[in-house]
Amino acid sequence: MRGLSDPFHPSTNPAGYLVLLVAENKLSWPLLKAKMEKVGEIPDWVSGYGDLRGEDNFRTQVAKMMEKSFIGAPVDKECIVAQAGAGSLIDTLCWCVAEEGDVCIIPAPMYSAFQNDLYARARIRMKVAHTKHPEYKITREVLEESYQSSMKEGGTPKILLICNPCNPTGLIYDEETLEMCVRWCAEKNMHFISDEIYGNSIFPDVKFTSVAKVCRRLNAGPSKGSDESNYLGNQVHIVSGFSKDFGISGMRVGTLFSHNRDLLSAANNLTYFQAVSNHTQWILSQCLADEQFLQNYISDVQRRLYVCYKGLEEALAAIDVPLTPAQGTLMAWADFRKYLPELTWEGEKQLWLELFDKAKILFTTGKSCQSEVPGFFRICYAWPKATDEDPAIAMKELKSRLIKHFAGAKK
Ligand SMILES: Cc1ncc(COP(=O)(O)O)c(C=O)c1O
């Protein structure tokens, strides 16, 4: 709270806190804001009830954007449900596909709020599957170990939930890994949720493959039993939204893409409780319909993210801290083990507090991301105020504070 009320600003508060734990992208908001301000007169229909899962034109525009950008496979607007945030859709999915007491396996390091999304209403328990430093690969062995251990503890895993590109590591899972996850879930009769909320937040020239593309290759075709209308099957579901790639977490827009008709129907029903405002849908539809704007916007986001990431790389290299080489998202995973007073969770907490108190730097602790070992921090590099000319200005400040803080410390 102290950090959030006194944040760094390059000109008005250069000595403020460098708050690097908020998973939000503030770099391209001026561009989107300018577009939103120009979309025109508010139509009358926005003031009334409508199709709660999302207005027809909104779902059309969202499906088109998804298809052409990160999904890379046909997306039918009838298979989209919009709700107030991606978190809301994870809650809905858990409520629909599992029972109280069932288990969801999540590879770690992981996005810490997943646990609440699963449990707050649906009462689904989390089982962490620890992937291994430094590559953090999801393997069959890692999943199987977590599955067996959960069964021994008396909880049946019903869901595998991954985040791709991954919060917190910034890594992208390759096609083989996704295929293995799809097959493994089918064998175990589990649902597979791929959270692709960072699907467009990838660095220029990096390739991202959605699980949709993998499923289409595996399932669509006359001899394979599915076609373009149901290639995801009944047990693979994709969650995404506008909070990250479009930096509008406050507008609360998340999307579910699924081919499971029963699930879609149940989700439609639950959407009454957490729908997206018609006004927001309308503004976004207008922005998405402008293809040239959209294309420029996405490449602007990717370019700015990469500039900041390079700035972060440079800041950490200056104090000799290894960084997991990220391919996207707006966060990265840094190995501060050499600076821990002791290699324990208490040591990690001490270093975190020291950086907060003395250098006014705020990271997310590895412990809260379910890291297997102490000493790692998640760093969100796209939140602090930047300038148009220099998106990485906060990363330069980070570099000078880190150098000052660790001057003379062990290396
Ligand atoms: C991986 C992931 N999924 C879901 C969410 C929640 O998104 P929303 O604000 O749209 O509910 C976040 C937010 O940080 C996230 O990082």
Side-chain angles (χ1 to χ4, degrees), residues 11 42 105 115 145 155 165 176 249 308 329 409:
S11 50
I42 303 172
I105 293 180
Q115 188 166 11
E145 194 184 320
E176 292 71 40
S249 54
C308 288
T329 72

Short mmCIF file of all heavy atoms in Angstrom, two decimals, residues 11 42 105 115 145 155 165 176 249 308 329 409:
data_model
loop_
_atom_site.label_atom_id
_atom_site.label_comp_id
_atom_site.label_asym_id
_atom_site.label_seq_id
_atom_site.Cartn_x
_atom_site.Cartn_y
_atom_site.Cartn_z
N SER A 11 9.13 12.25 -13.97
CA SER A 11 9.36 13.69 -13.77
C SER A 11 8.78 14.21 -12.45
O SER A 11 9.42 15.01 -11.77
CB SER A 11 8.80 14.48 -14.95
OG SER A 11 7.49 14.07 -15.20
N ILE A 42 -22.70 7.41 -28.29
CA ILE A 42 -23.12 6.15 -27.64
C ILE A 42 -24.47 5.70 -28.20
O ILE A 42 -25.44 6.47 -28.17
CB ILE A 42 -23.26 6.35 -26.11
CG1 ILE A 42 -21.94 6.86 -25.53
CG2 ILE A 42 -23.71 5.08 -25.42
CD1 ILE A 42 -22.04 7.27 -24.07
N ILE A 105 -4.76 -29.31 -11.01
CA ILE A 105 -3.30 -29.32 -11.03
C ILE A 105 -2.81 -28.08 -11.76
O ILE A 105 -3.28 -27.76 -12.86
CB ILE A 105 -2.77 -30.60 -11.72
CG1 ILE A 105 -3.11 -31.82 -10.87
CG2 ILE A 105 -1.26 -30.51 -11.97
CD1 ILE A 105 -2.65 -33.14 -11.44
N GLN A 115 -5.28 -19.73 -7.17
CA GLN A 115 -5.78 -20.52 -6.04
C GLN A 115 -7.14 -19.99 -5.56
O GLN A 115 -8.05 -20.76 -5.27
CB GLN A 115 -4.76 -20.48 -4.89
CG GLN A 115 -5.12 -21.42 -3.77
CD GLN A 115 -3.97 -21.64 -2.80
OE1 GLN A 115 -2.95 -20.93 -2.85
NE2 GLN A 115 -4.11 -22.60 -1.92
N GLU A 145 3.48 -37.12 -11.29
CA GLU A 145 3.86 -37.10 -9.88
C GLU A 145 2.82 -36.33 -9.06
O GLU A 145 2.39 -36.77 -7.99
CB GLU A 145 5.23 -36.40 -9.78
CG GLU A 145 5.91 -36.59 -8.45
CD GLU A 145 7.20 -35.78 -8.40
OE1 GLU A 145 7.94 -35.73 -9.41
OE2 GLU A 145 7.43 -35.16 -7.34
N GLY A 155 -7.65 -36.59 -3.06
CA GLY A 155 -8.33 -35.64 -3.95
C GLY A 155 -8.16 -36.05 -5.41
O GLY A 155 -7.04 -36.30 -5.85
N PRO A 165 1.27 -17.68 -22.77
CA PRO A 165 2.57 -17.50 -22.15
C PRO A 165 2.44 -17.39 -20.62
O PRO A 165 1.42 -16.94 -20.12
CB PRO A 165 3.07 -16.17 -22.73
CG PRO A 165 2.31 -15.97 -24.00
CD PRO A 165 0.98 -16.61 -23.78
N GLU A 176 4.86 -29.44 -28.65
CA GLU A 176 4.96 -30.82 -28.13
C GLU A 176 4.42 -30.87 -26.70
O GLU A 176 3.71 -31.81 -26.31
CB GLU A 176 6.42 -31.32 -28.10
CG GLU A 176 7.06 -31.55 -29.46
CD GLU A 176 7.35 -30.24 -30.21
OE1 GLU A 176 7.79 -29.26 -29.57
OE2 GLU A 176 7.13 -30.20 -31.44
N SER A 249 -7.55 -3.72 -17.40
CA SER A 249 -8.05 -4.61 -16.34
C SER A 249 -9.27 -4.01 -15.64
O SER A 249 -10.15 -4.73 -15.18
CB SER A 249 -6.95 -4.88 -15.33
OG SER A 249 -6.44 -3.65 -14.86
N CYS A 308 11.18 -2.63 -22.75
CA CYS A 308 11.25 -2.68 -21.28
C CYS A 308 11.96 -3.94 -20.80
O CYS A 308 12.74 -3.91 -19.86
CB CYS A 308 9.84 -2.66 -20.68
SG CYS A 308 9.10 -1.07 -20.82
N THR A 329 4.71 -11.98 -22.16
CA THR A 329 3.99 -11.52 -20.96
C THR A 329 4.49 -10.12 -20.60
O THR A 329 5.09 -9.45 -21.44
CB THR A 329 4.09 -12.46 -19.72
OG1 THR A 329 5.40 -12.39 -19.17
CG2 THR A 329 3.73 -13.89 -20.07
N ALA A 409 28.02 -5.81 -2.06
CA ALA A 409 27.45 -7.07 -1.56
C ALA A 409 28.13 -8.24 -2.25
O ALA A 409 28.82 -8.08 -3.25
CB ALA A 409 25.96 -7.10 -1.84
#
